[in-house]
Amino acid sequence: MFETAELGRKIPKDEYAKQAQLVRADLLQAQMKLKDRAEFPLIIVLSGDDRVGLADSLTMLTEWMDARFLQVHALDRETDEERERPEYWRFWRILPPRGRAGVVFGSWYRATIQRGVRDGDAAHIDAACVRINAFEKELADDGALIVKLWYHLPKSERRKRLREMEKDQKLRRRVLREEKDILRLYDEGTKVVERVLRETSTGETPWTIVEGTDWRWRNLQTATVIRDELKRRLARKPPAKTKPPKRVRKNGRTILDTLDMTKTIERPAYEKQLVAHQDRLNGLMERLVKQRRSAILVFEGWDAAGKGGIIRRIVPALDARHYHVIPVSAPTDEERAHHSLWRFWRNVPSAGRVTIYDRSWYGRVLVERVEGFAAEHEWKRAYREINDFEEQLCDFGIILLKFWLHIDKAEQLRRFKEREHTSYKNFKITPEDWRNREKWDDYELAANEMLERTSTEFAPWHLLEARDKKYARIKALRLMVEAFEAALGKSGKSGR
């Protein structure tokens, strides 16, 4: 794989000066077009065994490109904040928005290769490559241009460089020791790198291997590859804007039709169970903090189904220092400039905290689908992306609970009218609520397909019969207590 990067290619000084001037001008011009059109982000991944070449190339890019529109992230060891969240949290939060370029130095390949060299765990390498490919595919499907450059230094050149470094009295001993370790593990490391590059060089995100023997050749190849890929993408026609979907008619019995909407609970039993569940949940919250676990609660459902009412019965049982309620509405300009999951990755809770969502990432396959804000290919691929996101959360140990609050069309109409005629509730009803109601069948179709395609063994949906608000609240609290006990361990002691 690395034979073509060990040819000892060089470029004369005069020729370099001439070509570099042209490439630099082209690259800068392409970057300005990227900024002005703001159709997609450019993600430049710099990795390799030539650490000097990596650092020099990064410096070159910051000089040749407009630094105002270039984000640079050098990823080293995980911080305490990063260790409290799933591995890819640190990568999602640094992604550049559409119209901007970002350079990732180290990237999501660093830990995989280091562990592969250290442990020789082939199964881990393969699993990590599957995760990498899924991550990059999500970004590429959303339009991101990912340019991956691997900087290779032949073994003979590394020996030569090490001898020169040993003569440098100012060089830190740590750097010298690391260079010796790289040379000692060179052959073994090369095998691991070849495997990783082979498994992650896809048609959408291929690798380019850059020879590091001559710095002029290295700089010119780096800039040329980025320029050519960027110009090629800019030459594409932007995708056509989506049109709102056609109205649908309900066809046959659905999952939601199977719910028994006559379920109720009497007021005395409701009040007794409410206190008992809140008391139990309070003790579980203490255990969650002590065990440094985190949880995410997702509430979806029809307008006026009672999501806010359930949340208001949950929060009294939680320590205000350790929970965060996020009401999700239309994305901001900053959020629209990123992948649809970006804003939710950013809010993954740290250890010992609970995040409660009043609506969530499922808007992609509900309101954005029905109203035509997301193209068909966007909301269809969202099922896979959502399942992958939730699997990463659960694999990390986050307690994820998803609730769908269901009412029928007649009950929604009754609640809408009640809101209109109640002074302290009429702020809840808007013209948009009435417009959405006209598309009941469309939303019901979308909701049923969402439940079918995203109710997984690791993150199943919990359906709440919500015609009786009291019944739905108690059922939600009971399911929460059961899930927390299963995850944290049972205890007979109350937290109050």
Side-chain angles (χ1 to χ4, degrees), residues 377-388:
H377 71 274
E378 291 176 323
W379 62 258
K380 281 188 172 180
R381 74 164 190 266
Y383 297 119
R384 170 180 52 81
E385 295 174 348
I386 287 171
N387 287 337
D388 182 67

Side-chain angles (χ1 to χ4, degrees), residues 20-142:
Q21 186 176 7
L22 295 174
V23 173
R24 181 174 184 174
D26 279 353
L27 178 60
L28 186 59
Q29 185 180 33
Q31 184 190 10
M32 292 302 100
K33 287 184 179 179
L34 171 71
K35 177 186 72 69
D36 293 340
R37 288 167 52 170
E39 294 169 355
F40 60 90
L42 167 63
I43 302 171
I44 304 169
V45 177
L46 303 184
S47 293
D49 51 61
D50 180 9
R51 299 197 307 174
V52 173
L54 277 166
D56 289 350
S57 295
L58 178 59
T59 301
M60 180 269 294
L61 287 174
T62 59
E63 293 174 352
W64 287 22
M65 300 178 75
D66 192 325
R68 295 174 299 169
F69 311 111
L70 181 68
Q71 302 175 5
V72 178
H73 299 279
L75 300 176
D76 200 346
R77 297 176 181 176
E78 288 182 319
T79 64
D80 291 341
E81 182 184 28
E82 291 167 342
R83 278 190 287 271
E84 292 183 350
R85 295 173 173 87
E87 178 185 4
Y88 276 70
W89 177 77
R90 69 192 304 225
F91 307 130
W92 274 94
R93 64 199 295 259
I94 64 172
L95 295 175
R98 293 180 178 87
R100 296 292 187 270
V103 180
V104 186
F105 186 81
S107 77
W108 36 93
Y109 288 92
R110 179 187 177 92
T112 298
I113 292 173
Q114 286 181 339
R115 179 170 172 178
V117 175
R118 183 182 68 245
D119 302 336
D121 189 345
H124 169 77
I125 294 174
D126 291 342
C129 288
V130 170
R131 169 61 57 212
I132 288 170
N133 286 339
F135 174 56
E136 293 180 349
K137 179 173 174 54
E138 283 189 28
L139 301 182
D141 285 348
D142 197 54

Side-chain angles (χ1 to χ4, degrees), residues 398-457:
I398 294 173
I399 303 168
L400 174 62
L401 293 174
K402 306 184 303 188
F403 299 95
W404 175 267
L405 280 73
H406 189 57
I407 55 175
D408 54 43
K409 198 171 183 180
E411 177 62 17
Q412 186 190 62
L413 179 61
R414 186 191 70 78
R415 294 185 185 183
F416 276 13
K417 290 182 177 180
E418 180 185 40
R419 287 181 173 183
E420 283 187 324
H421 295 93
T422 305
S423 59
Y424 61 88
K425 288 186 178 181
N426 56 26
F427 74 94
K428 293 183 178 182
I429 190 74
T430 67
E432 184 179 354
D433 294 324
W434 289 106
R435 286 196 299 270
N436 291 345
R437 179 176 164 78
E438 293 176 0
K439 298 180 181 179
W440 179 278
D441 288 349
D442 302 82
Y443 277 101
E444 188 174 36
L445 172 70
N448 275 283
E449 188 170 353
M450 174 198 75
L451 295 171
E452 177 184 354
R453 298 187 64 175
T454 61
S455 190
T456 59
E457 70 278 7

Side-chain angles (χ1 to χ4, degrees), residues 51 77 162 165-166 171-184:
R51 299 197 307 174
R77 297 176 181 176
L162 182 58
M165 293 173 72
E166 288 175 330
L171 196 66
R172 294 181 181 178
R173 292 182 179 180
R174 179 183 61 82
V175 175
L176 193 60
R177 184 173 62 251
E178 290 176 352
E179 285 295 325
K180 288 181 178 179
D181 288 341
I182 293 175
L183 182 59
R184 178 173 55 84

Side-chain angles (χ1 to χ4, degrees), residues 36 48 62 66 99 142 159 206 222 231 274 298 300 308 348 352 398 411 419 430 439 466-467 475 480:
D36 293 340
T62 59
D66 192 325
D142 197 54
R159 287 199 187 99
T222 296
K231 290 179 69 174
L274 178 64
V298 173
E300 291 282 359
V348 172
I398 294 173
E411 177 62 17
R419 287 181 173 183
T430 67
K439 298 180 181 179
R467 181 184 291 174
K475 183 175 180 179
M480 282 183 58

